[in-house]
Amino acid sequence: MSLTLYNSLTGKKEPFTPLHDNRVGMYVCGVTVYDRCHIGHARSLIVFDTLFRYLRHKGYEVTYVRNFTDVDDKIIKRANERGISTKELSEENIACFYEDTDPLGILRPTHEPRATEHIGEIIRLVKTLEEKGVAYEVDGDVYYAVSKFPEYGKLSKKNIEELKSGARIAVDERKKDPLDFALWKASKPGEPAWDSPWGKGRPGWHIECSAMSMSLLGETFDIHGGGKDLIFPHHENEIAQSEAATGKPFVRTWVHNGFVNIRSEKMSKSLGNVLSIQEILDRYHPEVLRAFLLSAHYRSPINFDDTYLESNRVSVERVYKTLQEVDGWLSEAGEVAGSDAELPGEIAELSEEVEAAMDDDLNTPRALGALYPMIHKLHQLYQAEKASGSPNRARVHAVREKVRELGGLFGLFQSEPGAFLETQKGLDKKRISLSPEEIQAKIDLRTAARKARDFKTADAIRDELASQGIILEDGPEGTTWRVK
RNA sequence: GGCGGCAUAGCCAAGUGGUAAGGCGACGGUCUGCAAAACCGUUAUACACCGGUUCGAAUCCGGUUGCCGCCUCCA
């Protein structure tokens, strides 16, 4: 079986074949570090993290590059507002980036270049474009002449003439054409600046990705990804810059992820509904967020709503409850030898379905639709073996390991079950007003009442706690509680 | 206005020519003093609407309606 990916450039799903035998070069547009990460960033990060994981699972040797844009208008503006340097601001936000995203289980890319560390390559690339006659300088600014690149619009399927007539941007008089875009900007006083053939200046918006991707991955590489919104103009411009400079195809497969909407509305600063990763992680274990974001196909829009997160929480929690039970039983017998026991037929089929789904343009909802039932089957198998006179632990162990392996494709089910459940429980407890001591006192009262067979009192206490979102569970070893 | 996408059960979401995956919820059962949890089972004669192609369509074609995205910084 082989991987098929939807290529935004051709508009079709295509079998994926690397340019150089089994080595894959992948570049994904990262974040501009002027603010904290929101759930939209999380989606893109998780989608491409999943692609990275899957490519490696398929046996490819992947060079994954994800940049940090650490110099641009927004950063300069924000730094000025706060009275700090752009360097300080970006360092601070890069630290925040890891703080927000490390818990999500995002694997570190092979390279994480920053624009300011590649100014030399950027200048060389702009220089090349100027020498080839597709760029021109005006007062220390350098612009790309879009009319010199006949294929402009091939990614976004836009028509240059229509773009010109529909241009909504205030036309900069210095540009020869409204569509031309800045490769290099002359610095104003107080702005970060580097020496260049055109005087002191800084890179334009799009050039850094062309320069860094080509210097780390070569003039033509396999996969370039990012959010759908980057198709135009960012990626269109990257193609124009790169291909005009090298005369070679820039990227073979363009992969774009869809947006996250918030309660059916577009997430935007103006609507004030930007949802940070932190806000979600305050309430849910990161794996719940991962499960939610992978529950829709990466190219479709996904709608955020508390009920969807809650639904995924229940699913993931159930998986871990099963795993905890199974792991506990397996460990009773000490070390179980190997995991090479043959998988039951149903499990093997589901396992193949997971892979087939992932091969089909990373269809994570379909893949998860096979993984969840597999855990269900694991539980059934465990119960059957446990009840049998001569339990076959190796068989259960093999299935359990399969769940771990396949979960790893999504960054799910990799935690120690007890740790997951404790973490989620800890977050839940922050949402209620009663202290654990107060709850325990009520439970003790109720236990006494139950012993006296005064069920009326016992039920009243249970109802009272339930009204505050606390659910009691009477088990063989006493009563425990959880937050609804 | 241009380009593109979407419309599947109470909700989320796969399926893209062969007769509707999976998850959440709900309901029934086992268990329980009763619950909860867990487990077992049930839960779309049907895929926005109207035509057409076909032996056969949720799936292809045409049209209608509704929603959304991009065209401007944005994951």
Side-chain angles (χ1 to χ4, degrees), chain A residues 146-147 159-168 171 177-179:
Chain A
V146 168
S147 60
N159 177 300
I160 295 191
E161 291 312 312
E162 283 169 359
L163 277 173
K164 282 182 190 170
S165 60
R168 290 199 239 154
V171 178
D177 187 304
L179 293 181

Side-chain angles (χ1 to χ4, degrees), chain A residues 256-272:
Chain A
H256 293 99
N257 66 276
F259 269 46
V260 178
N261 293 324
I262 307 291
R263 298 173 194 97
S264 304
E265 277 185 328
K266 177 178 170 159
M267 181 169 72
S268 73
K269 294 248 157 80
S270 55
L271 284 167

Side-chain angles (χ1 to χ4, degrees), chain A residues 30-42 45 68 93-101 104 267 274-280:
Chain A
V31 297
T32 300
V33 284
Y34 74 106
D35 210 344
R36 287 202 88 108
C37 289
H38 55 64
I39 189 174
H41 294 122
L45 257 8
F68 284 115
N93 280 308
I94 286 171
C96 285
F97 175 87
Y98 289 124
E99 197 182 310
D100 288 346
T101 62
L104 296 179
M267 181 169 72
V274 175
L275 190 62
S276 73
I277 292 176
Q278 281 301 319
E279 281 175 82
I280 294 164

Side-chain angles (χ1 to χ4, degrees), chain A residues 94-144:
Chain A
I94 286 171
C96 285
F97 175 87
Y98 289 124
E99 197 182 310
D100 288 346
T101 62
D102 280 347
L104 296 179
I106 309 285
L107 302 176
R108 293 288 172 104
T110 321
H111 302 287
E112 296 179 273
R114 304 177 188 187
T116 56
E117 292 170 354
H118 293 264
I119 300 293
E121 283 107 308
I122 292 171
I123 290 175
R124 275 198 292 283
L125 186 55
V126 176
K127 191 81 193 137
T128 300
L129 290 169
E130 194 181 35
E131 283 160 8
K132 296 213 170 191
V134 296
Y136 56 93
E137 187 215 333
V138 184
D139 304 333
D141 287 350
V142 182
Y143 293 100
Y144 186 98

Side-chain angles (χ1 to χ4, degrees), chain A residues 299-483:
Chain A
R299 282 189 282 120
S300 306
I302 190 168
N303 190 22
F304 174 89
D305 194 289
D306 295 332
T307 58
Y308 308 154
L309 214 48
E310 186 57 27
S311 161
N312 278 281
R313 178 276 253 293
V314 172
S315 297
V316 176
E317 213 167 65
R318 276 192 188 141
V319 170
Y320 273 117
K321 282 180 183 172
T322 294
L323 295 180
Q324 185 176 45
E325 202 178 337
V326 171
D327 287 355
W329 180 70
L330 285 173
S331 65
E332 279 172 16
E335 200 70 7
V336 177
S339 58
D340 47 1
E342 197 180 331
L343 293 171
E346 283 177 321
I347 302 288
E349 277 171 32
L350 287 168
S351 173
E352 280 165 26
E353 167 61 11
V354 170
E355 182 128 354
M358 291 300 278
D359 276 342
D360 181 15
D361 192 28
L362 230 56
N363 193 331
T364 55
R366 184 179 148 201
L368 256 15
L371 187 55
Y372 281 115
M374 186 186 296
I375 289 145
H376 190 80
K377 299 283 179 201
L378 166 64
H379 197 267
Q380 289 180 329
L381 178 68
Y382 147 77
Q383 286 185 313
E385 293 295 345
K386 188 183 174 189
S388 92
S390 53
N392 184 345
R393 279 190 163 85
R395 198 167 157 83
V396 175
H397 185 253
V399 177
R400 201 276 179 248
E401 286 309 305
K402 195 66 184 173
V403 167
R404 193 193 305 279
E405 177 200 327
L406 293 177
L409 296 178
F410 312 95
L412 294 175
F413 318 138
Q414 303 299 294
S415 303
E416 195 279 305
F420 173 93
L421 295 167
E422 274 312 305
T423 300
Q424 185 59 56
K425 204 169 179 178
L427 295 172
D428 291 341
K429 283 178 181 170
K430 292 200 292 192
R431 288 192 284 167
I432 53 170
S433 49
L434 289 176
S435 72
E437 292 72 27
E438 289 170 315
I439 294 166
Q440 193 53 52
K442 304 243 185 222
I443 289 176
D444 291 343
L445 277 176
R446 175 168 170 275
T447 304
R450 290 180 72 212
K451 272 200 177 128
R453 301 197 68 76
D454 176 4
F455 295 120
K456 202 176 163 190
T457 303
D459 290 352
I461 293 171
R462 185 170 63 196
D463 290 347
E464 184 199 335
L465 287 171
S467 71
Q468 298 186 61
I470 294 153
I471 306 296
L472 298 186
E473 295 179 354
D474 299 328
E477 281 139 51
T479 301
T480 56
W481 63 277
R482 68 183 170 87
V483 179

